């Protein structure tokens, strides 16, 4: 009898011919997520098993598995030979000590000599004989004994299904570059694209010394928290201080934000192309702030040729907050450090800036020089 973590995968099976590829990526991701913990990973048809693991770290193993995209559900259970005696021995240690229970059998191996119903009856009967404090309730039991008859003479016995992160294995949907701020929204946007299988890299703009070191540390921490799902290893940062100073000195104040955002997009696109990322990702949500009107989004889209994905575009703030809490970034996002967008913030930002006005103001700036200077300030943080 061996303790195992049973992993069932999601959506991968939908991919037909590509199934082999999806499984290879998924395997690599599982291995990466378990890095530093002793374990063996085995694939059996339709399942993965983590075996021979460091039992003292089982809670950590389960929480890491819970964040791997592509996992549909997982269980902590026992792997035994598929004889009734072995299955019963495992069932005893999985079953509740008292109260009501139900045995629920699934046969992956349809050639097994007993039907699922017969196995339920046999194991359920033996459990009742063994422990008088137990009774069967097939409708609303307090506890379950799940039996999964696998091929190769193996059976898996467990008491609970935990819901996995769902989605698709990271790396199966190309690469994108997330513009990550210290706010609540962009980490959630990154999470959502990772969940769809995208490999997400992170780019952050800072205005040091107007923004301080703690503001940067906060973003590094957010990126690290996201990486537990996205498996990204680093964050890139770029300084836009000189750009903000020039905009502030030369251009109409109500366009500060609009112009800065266009610079952010231009810089991000250059970085994305270097990294072979196929799109930009932002945490914008329609109408949330003055710069997130359709006109504002159009004006930033106009300076790039890569598509800009905005997975939160139709979300309310409270829906975003709920997700941020669920994925564990909210507490960090609400720490009070300034972001570059709040430096030089005009009293009345333009809500529906006209493109002709934007271009007129921008013509006062040496755009290419400013972009190249920004790109020369790239720093890399690994976590
Ligand atoms: P967030 O909560 O993600 O900061 P927000 O509601 O504060 O969003 P804005 O500050 O207008 O909105 O930013 C909109 C989007 O632009 C962000 O979601 C993010 O993708 C990008 N962005 C804003 N500031 C930065 C920054 N300093 N570095 C990188 N990306 C940024
Ligand atoms: Mg922000």
């Amino acid at each position: 009898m061996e303790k195992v973590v049973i992993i069932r995968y999601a959506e991968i099976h939908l991919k037909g011919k590509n199934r082999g590829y999806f499984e290879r990526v998924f395997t690599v991701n599982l291995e990466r997520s378990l890095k530093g913990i002793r374990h063996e990973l085995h694939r059996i048809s339709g399942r993965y098993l983590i075996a021979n693991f460091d039992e003292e770290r089982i809670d950590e193993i389960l929480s890491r598995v819970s964040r791997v995209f592509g996992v549909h559900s997982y269980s902590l259970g026992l792997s035994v030979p598929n004889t009734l005696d072995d299955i019963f021995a495992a069932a005893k240690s999985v079953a509740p000590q008292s109260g009501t229970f139900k045995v629920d059998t699934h046969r992956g191996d349809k050639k097994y000599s007993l039907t699922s119903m017969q196995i339920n009856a046999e194991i359920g009967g033996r459990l009742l004989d063994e422990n008088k404090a137990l009774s069967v309730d097939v409708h609303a039991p307090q506890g379950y004994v799940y039996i999964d008859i696998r091929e190769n003479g193996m059976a898996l016995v467990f008491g609970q299904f935990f819901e996995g992160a769902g989605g698709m294995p990271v790396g199966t949907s190309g690469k994108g570059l997330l513009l990550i701020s210290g706010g609540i929204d962009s980490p959630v946007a990154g999470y959502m694209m990772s969940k769809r299988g995208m490999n997400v890299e992170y780019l952050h703009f800072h205005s040091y010394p107007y923004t301080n070191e703690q503001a940067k540390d906060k973003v590094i921490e957010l990126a690290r928290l996201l990486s537990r799902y996205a498996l990204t290893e680093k964050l890139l940062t770029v300084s836009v201080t000189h750009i903000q100073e020039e905009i502030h000195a030369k251009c109409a104040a109500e366009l500060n934000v609009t112009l800065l955002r266009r610079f952010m997009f231009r810089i991000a696109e250059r970085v994305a192309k270097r990294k072979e990322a196929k799109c930009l990702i932002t945490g914008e949500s329609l109408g949330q702030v003055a710069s997130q009107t359709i006109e504002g989004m159009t004006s930033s889209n106009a300076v790039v040729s890569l598509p800009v994905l905005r997975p939160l575009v139709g979300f309310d703030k409270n829906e975003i907050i709920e997700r941020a809490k669920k994925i564990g970034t909210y507490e960090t996002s609400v720490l009070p450090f300034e972001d570059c967008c709040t430096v030089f913030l005009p009293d009345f930002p333009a809500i529906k800036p006209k493109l002709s006005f934007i271009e007129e103001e921008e013509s006062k700036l040496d755009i290419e020089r400013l972009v190249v200077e920004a790109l020369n300030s790239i720093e890399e943080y690994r976590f």
Side-chain angles (χ1 to χ4, degrees):
M1 188 170 346
E2 187 184 13
K3 270 196 187 155
V4 288
V5 177
I6 305 152
I7 297 169
R8 302 168 201 88
Y9 44 98
E11 274 194 52
I12 298 178
H13 62 272
L14 298 176
K15 295 294 166 184
K17 289 204 299 274
N18 287 332
R19 181 177 168 148
Y21 166 68
F22 275 69
E23 285 175 343
R24 277 195 298 283
V25 176
F26 187 54
T27 307
V28 169
N29 293 353
L30 278 172
E31 287 290 10
R32 279 169 74 188
S33 77
L34 293 170
K35 209 162 110 185
I37 302 182
R38 177 173 60 78
H39 71 279
E40 287 167 18
L41 184 66
H42 304 290
R43 191 153 71 81
I44 58 173
S45 82
R47 309 264 186 285
Y48 283 80
L49 296 183
I50 302 173
N52 195 15
F53 53 81
D54 183 348
E55 289 195 21
E56 281 179 12
R57 300 180 73 183
I58 184 59
D59 290 341
E60 199 182 337
I61 292 174
L62 293 177
S63 83
R64 291 199 197 179
V65 167
S66 76
R67 292 190 289 260
V68 176
F69 291 124
V71 174
H72 174 65
S73 69
Y74 59 99
S75 303
L76 179 59
L78 296 162
S79 164
V80 290
N82 68 10
T83 70
L84 283 177
D85 287 347
D86 287 301
I87 292 172
F88 173 58
K92 269 194 296 189
S93 67
V94 162
Q97 292 309 302
S98 61
T100 61
F101 77 102
K102 172 183 178 175
V103 182
D104 189 342
T105 302
H106 168 89
R107 288 186 317 160
D109 176 4
K110 299 293 181 202
K111 293 196 217 92
Y112 194 71
S113 58
L114 301 176
T115 65
S116 296
M117 295 295 275
Q118 288 169 326
I119 299 168
N120 291 344
E122 178 64 31
I123 299 297
R126 290 197 198 184
L127 285 170
L128 289 174
D129 288 344
E130 173 92 11
N131 180 350
K132 300 297 175 203
L134 283 177
S135 61
V136 168
D137 179 346
V138 293
H139 300 296
Q142 290 163 323
Y144 276 90
V145 175
Y146 293 104
I147 300 170
D148 187 5
I149 307 284
R150 303 313 307 172
E151 48 291 295
N152 305 335
M154 175 201 280
L156 301 170
V157 182
F158 52 95
Q160 243 179 310
F161 282 90
F162 301 109
E163 193 182 339
M168 313 213 297
V170 165
T172 56
S173 298
K175 192 192 279 183
L177 182 68
L178 173 69
L179 281 69
I180 185 170
S181 69
I184 297 168
D185 308 331
S186 42
V188 176
Y191 172 91
M192 288 177 70
M193 296 323 298
S194 297
K195 183 170 181 178
R196 293 314 302 159
M198 190 163 261
N199 216 329
V200 178
E201 300 218 0
Y202 310 132
L203 176 65
H204 174 66
F205 299 102
H206 65 85
S207 344
Y208 189 77
Y210 299 103
T211 53
N212 58 24
E213 281 296 323
Q214 284 141 305
K216 196 188 273 182
D217 289 345
K218 173 182 167 181
V219 177
I220 295 172
E221 175 60 8
L222 280 174
R224 189 193 66 78
L225 290 170
L226 263 189
S227 290
R228 298 178 307 165
Y229 303 90
L231 306 170
T232 311
E233 283 161 352
K234 59 179 191 286
L235 165 76
L236 301 175
T237 66
V238 166
S239 168
V240 286
T241 312
H242 61 298
I243 296 178
Q244 287 184 283
E245 286 170 344
E246 279 215 34
I247 294 174
H248 184 62
K250 296 183 179 162
C251 307
E254 72 256 41
L255 285 188
N256 273 5
V257 177
T258 307
L259 297 180
L260 176 61
R261 297 198 62 77
R262 280 161 64 96
F263 273 100
M264 286 182 172
F265 274 47
R266 289 184 182 104
I267 297 162
E269 181 169 65
R270 302 268 184 110
V271 173
K273 287 187 171 162
R274 284 186 193 173
K275 301 276 164 197
E276 298 184 331
K278 301 285 186 282
C279 63
L280 306 182
I281 303 162
T282 77
E284 289 162 294
S285 156
L286 187 64
Q288 194 189 84
V289 293
S291 61
Q292 297 180 22
T293 55
I294 185 63
E295 289 82 1
M297 294 184 196
T298 305
S299 104
S300 0
N301 282 4
V303 297
V304 293
S305 58
L306 285 181
V308 182
L309 303 186
R310 297 176 169 91
L312 304 181
V313 74
F315 281 62
D316 291 344
K317 192 74 188 187
N318 54 6
E319 291 171 315
I320 300 170
I321 289 173
E322 208 173 286
R323 281 179 192 231
K325 286 182 177 165
K326 209 168 141 199
I327 66 180
T329 52
Y330 181 77
E331 301 301 326
T332 304
S333 288
V334 295
L335 294 174
F337 297 115
E338 266 200 306
D339 193 57
C340 66
C341 288
T342 48
V343 182
F344 300 115
L345 195 68
D347 290 340
F348 298 103
I351 294 174
K352 296 182 178 180
K354 282 223 165 55
L355 199 55
S356 54
F357 182 37
I358 294 169
E359 285 170 350
E360 188 186 316
E361 290 302 297
E362 238 172 25
S363 70
K364 300 172 184 168
L365 305 169
D366 183 346
I367 294 173
E368 182 59 21
R369 177 181 58 82
L370 290 170
V371 168
V372 169
E373 276 174 16
L375 288 168
N376 286 337
S377 76
I378 286 195
E379 288 178 78
E380 201 178 285
Y381 294 87
R382 291 189 169 266
F383 20 81

